[in-house]
Amino acid sequence: MNTENIRVRFAPSPTGYLHVGGARTALFNYLFAKAAGGKFLLRIEDTDRTRFQEDSLNEIFESLKWLGLDWDEGASVGGDFGPYVQSERLTLYKEHAEKLLADGSAYKCFCTSERLEQVRKEKELRKEQHGGYDRKCRDLSAEEVNENIDSGMPYVVRLKAPLDGSISFEDMIRGIIETPVNMVDDTVLLKTDGFPTYHLASVVDDHFMKISHVMRGDEWIASTPRHVLLYKAFGWEMPVFAHLPVILSPTGGKLSKRKGAASVMDYKKAGYLPEALFNFLTLLGWNPGDDREIMTVSEIIASFSAKKISSKPAVFDEQKLEWMNGQYMETYPAEKLAEEVIPLWRERGLSVDDTEYAAGVVRLLQVRSKRVTELAETADYFFKDPTGYDEKQAGKQLKEAVKPALDKLTAELPAIKWEREDIEGTIDSVAASLEMSAGKIKPALRLAVTGVGGGPDLLDMLLHLGKDCSVRRIKNASDYIG
RNA sequence: GUCCCCAUCGUCUAGCCUGGCCUAGGACAUCGCCCUUUCGAGGCGACGACUGGGGUUCGAAUCCCCAUGGGGACGCCA
């Protein structure tokens, strides 16, 4: 296969948000295209008017872009094979349904939804819930068909599936999959409202958009025989199919909204970095063939191979995502992180007006923060004096014994140069003069300055907070003791 | 119910195609120790898996069959 002609697509339907399972499918398509020097397209499958949601499209675009999955061709960016929105291609589907009708590969069916429902119920009662439609209209005579049409009966177009034998296709990651034909019913191709079903629309579009590889979720495996039938009926060359394993929730079953944050944007809101989610999702069902885990996009692309895609479903382990995000937090450019955090700080009511100071805060906290939101929530003391002290820590550290030290520091610190060595030297000399160890004073200083027990290096904090602020807080702590 | 897919530590996985190098490797989580003025940070270490049963073979995590378990499909949804 000429790699120039590798073309893959992600084809979501605008029925809601983009969840991580869908994002992973998009991601693998993206990686496959980039690794092969091919094209990644985005097609919108909006053929179900009842489930359409207006703002869904924006959410999907936004999610993909946030993750860095930019498409070369498709909805909102255009290309030579558009339109890329199925509701704008209705006549094409209709023409092709007509074609199948004309050569006997499909037929018109006048059964009502009510009758279909009835048939399903009866089958269920008899415990033979398979095979689908009972093919009542399959052998209607031309007269009957005309009569029905003349009397204005609505109809659907159904595929005339073979009655015996089996259908097989080769899946890129699973090998040959063979399905007995009795599992393939006479699927609806064109609905009464003139819209195509997924089966017709995706086959027609994949053909005309010159899609070389169809990579999609493995819930489509069972439908693929129908698609094979359609390709044969049209006389078209089939794309290569690759069915990706689903992502499971830690509690078992498909990952869903109900089982925790499942949409891409939810993860953004929870404070995850796009690079980390990207990296994490990549490793859900794929590996580079060695022990690398933290990898840049270009490293991933360089070592991406569809052969390494696993065929078994993976559980979405949020703890590992969090760890990975922490790895990205550590090395993320502070200025860039600050852009994310400053709005969150402001939301908490902190006044942040010096972006350079803010970036400095980020530098001090990013190493020990796993999520952007965590960083946002643990930085209050950099912007306002502590309003209280952690009770447990205060009981231990802010005792009578350290008060003299705090007082002495309050007195001596204002006179020194606010540099690391000078501060540390002052602390040491104060400690020595009181016959205490510096190790006794430092935890108290930390508490005085931040109000809490943990955090960045004490000296780093004092330096960043500045002299006036530090001294003021130390005095406050001394007053607190009594 | 019928059909399809899948099966290595709790989780993500390497190894499986091309049997021996596997007393099964890495990562997350957990636990312990160390470092540190503190810490959800860092360092070191421990715990921990080939679903079961048959076969093939000198030899099976690796190949075959069955069972079991999990997932999916069975819509005028995608």
mmCIF file with all atom_site columns, all heavy atoms in Angstrom, chain A residues 177 182 190 252 367 399 449:
data_model
loop_
_atom_site.group_PDB
_atom_site.id
_atom_site.type_symbol
_atom_site.label_atom_id
_atom_site.label_alt_id
_atom_site.label_comp_id
_atom_site.label_asym_id
_atom_site.label_entity_id
_atom_site.label_seq_id
_atom_site.pdbx_PDB_ins_code
_atom_site.Cartn_x
_atom_site.Cartn_y
_atom_site.Cartn_z
_atom_site.occupancy
_atom_site.B_iso_or_equiv
_atom_site.pdbx_formal_charge
_atom_site.auth_seq_id
_atom_site.auth_comp_id
_atom_site.auth_asym_id
_atom_site.auth_atom_id
_atom_site.pdbx_PDB_model_num
ATOM 1  N N   . ILE A 1 177 ? -12.321 -12.916 10.691 1.00 0.00 ? 177 ILE A N   1
ATOM 2  C CA  . ILE A 1 177 ? -13.533 -13.065 11.499 1.00 0.00 ? 177 ILE A CA  1
ATOM 3  C C   . ILE A 1 177 ? -14.636 -13.557 10.579 1.00 0.00 ? 177 ILE A C   1
ATOM 4  O O   . ILE A 1 177 ? -14.941 -12.940 9.556  1.00 0.00 ? 177 ILE A O   1
ATOM 5  C CB  . ILE A 1 177 ? -13.941 -11.720 12.141 1.00 0.00 ? 177 ILE A CB  1
ATOM 6  C CG1 . ILE A 1 177 ? -12.864 -11.267 13.133 1.00 0.00 ? 177 ILE A CG1 1
ATOM 7  C CG2 . ILE A 1 177 ? -15.291 -11.864 12.847 1.00 0.00 ? 177 ILE A CG2 1
ATOM 8  C CD1 . ILE A 1 177 ? -13.118 -9.908  13.737 1.00 0.00 ? 177 ILE A CD1 1
ATOM 9  N N   . ASN A 1 182 ? -26.828 -16.259 9.118  1.00 0.00 ? 182 ASN A N   1
ATOM 10 C CA  . ASN A 1 182 ? -28.122 -16.118 9.793  1.00 0.00 ? 182 ASN A CA  1
ATOM 11 C C   . ASN A 1 182 ? -28.083 -15.036 10.877 1.00 0.00 ? 182 ASN A C   1
ATOM 12 O O   . ASN A 1 182 ? -29.092 -14.700 11.460 1.00 0.00 ? 182 ASN A O   1
ATOM 13 C CB  . ASN A 1 182 ? -28.582 -17.463 10.373 1.00 0.00 ? 182 ASN A CB  1
ATOM 14 C CG  . ASN A 1 182 ? -27.674 -17.924 11.492 1.00 0.00 ? 182 ASN A CG  1
ATOM 15 O OD1 . ASN A 1 182 ? -26.514 -17.527 11.569 1.00 0.00 ? 182 ASN A OD1 1
ATOM 16 N ND2 . ASN A 1 182 ? -28.198 -18.760 12.365 1.00 0.00 ? 182 ASN A ND2 1
ATOM 17 N N   . LEU A 1 190 ? -32.037 2.746   4.149  1.00 0.00 ? 190 LEU A N   1
ATOM 18 C CA  . LEU A 1 190 ? -32.600 4.089   4.018  1.00 0.00 ? 190 LEU A CA  1
ATOM 19 C C   . LEU A 1 190 ? -33.884 4.122   4.843  1.00 0.00 ? 190 LEU A C   1
ATOM 20 O O   . LEU A 1 190 ? -34.737 3.258   4.706  1.00 0.00 ? 190 LEU A O   1
ATOM 21 C CB  . LEU A 1 190 ? -32.923 4.348   2.536  1.00 0.00 ? 190 LEU A CB  1
ATOM 22 C CG  . LEU A 1 190 ? -32.869 5.780   2.029  1.00 0.00 ? 190 LEU A CG  1
ATOM 23 C CD1 . LEU A 1 190 ? -31.481 6.378   2.214  1.00 0.00 ? 190 LEU A CD1 1
ATOM 24 C CD2 . LEU A 1 190 ? -33.263 5.821   0.552  1.00 0.00 ? 190 LEU A CD2 1
ATOM 25 N N   . GLY A 1 252 ? -16.022 -2.430  35.838 1.00 0.00 ? 252 GLY A N   1
ATOM 26 C CA  . GLY A 1 252 ? -16.474 -3.392  34.845 1.00 0.00 ? 252 GLY A CA  1
ATOM 27 C C   . GLY A 1 252 ? -17.506 -2.770  33.945 1.00 0.00 ? 252 GLY A C   1
ATOM 28 O O   . GLY A 1 252 ? -18.202 -1.845  34.330 1.00 0.00 ? 252 GLY A O   1
ATOM 29 N N   . VAL A 1 367 ? 6.100   20.703  40.875 1.00 0.00 ? 367 VAL A N   1
ATOM 30 C CA  . VAL A 1 367 ? 6.737   19.410  41.116 1.00 0.00 ? 367 VAL A CA  1
ATOM 31 C C   . VAL A 1 367 ? 5.866   18.505  41.982 1.00 0.00 ? 367 VAL A C   1
ATOM 32 O O   . VAL A 1 367 ? 5.835   17.307  41.807 1.00 0.00 ? 367 VAL A O   1
ATOM 33 C CB  . VAL A 1 367 ? 8.091   19.586  41.833 1.00 0.00 ? 367 VAL A CB  1
ATOM 34 C CG1 . VAL A 1 367 ? 8.789   18.247  41.954 1.00 0.00 ? 367 VAL A CG1 1
ATOM 35 C CG2 . VAL A 1 367 ? 8.954   20.561  41.077 1.00 0.00 ? 367 VAL A CG2 1
ATOM 36 N N   . LYS A 1 399 ? 4.747   26.678  69.619 1.00 0.00 ? 399 LYS A N   1
ATOM 37 C CA  . LYS A 1 399 ? 4.721   26.607  71.075 1.00 0.00 ? 399 LYS A CA  1
ATOM 38 C C   . LYS A 1 399 ? 5.567   27.742  71.682 1.00 0.00 ? 399 LYS A C   1
ATOM 39 O O   . LYS A 1 399 ? 6.362   28.372  70.989 1.00 0.00 ? 399 LYS A O   1
ATOM 40 C CB  . LYS A 1 399 ? 5.241   25.236  71.532 1.00 0.00 ? 399 LYS A CB  1
ATOM 41 C CG  . LYS A 1 399 ? 4.266   24.111  71.179 1.00 0.00 ? 399 LYS A CG  1
ATOM 42 C CD  . LYS A 1 399 ? 4.665   22.787  71.802 1.00 0.00 ? 399 LYS A CD  1
ATOM 43 C CE  . LYS A 1 399 ? 5.990   22.310  71.270 1.00 0.00 ? 399 LYS A CE  1
ATOM 44 N NZ  . LYS A 1 399 ? 6.198   20.869  71.536 1.00 0.00 ? 399 LYS A NZ  1
ATOM 45 N N   . VAL A 1 449 ? 4.452   31.014  57.902 1.00 0.00 ? 449 VAL A N   1
ATOM 46 C CA  . VAL A 1 449 ? 4.387   31.641  56.600 1.00 0.00 ? 449 VAL A CA  1
ATOM 47 C C   . VAL A 1 449 ? 3.265   31.087  55.716 1.00 0.00 ? 449 VAL A C   1
ATOM 48 O O   . VAL A 1 449 ? 2.668   31.791  54.915 1.00 0.00 ? 449 VAL A O   1
ATOM 49 C CB  . VAL A 1 449 ? 5.778   31.498  55.944 1.00 0.00 ? 449 VAL A CB  1
ATOM 50 C CG1 . VAL A 1 449 ? 5.690   31.551  54.455 1.00 0.00 ? 449 VAL A CG1 1
ATOM 51 C CG2 . VAL A 1 449 ? 6.697   32.582  56.473 1.00 0.00 ? 449 VAL A CG2 1
#
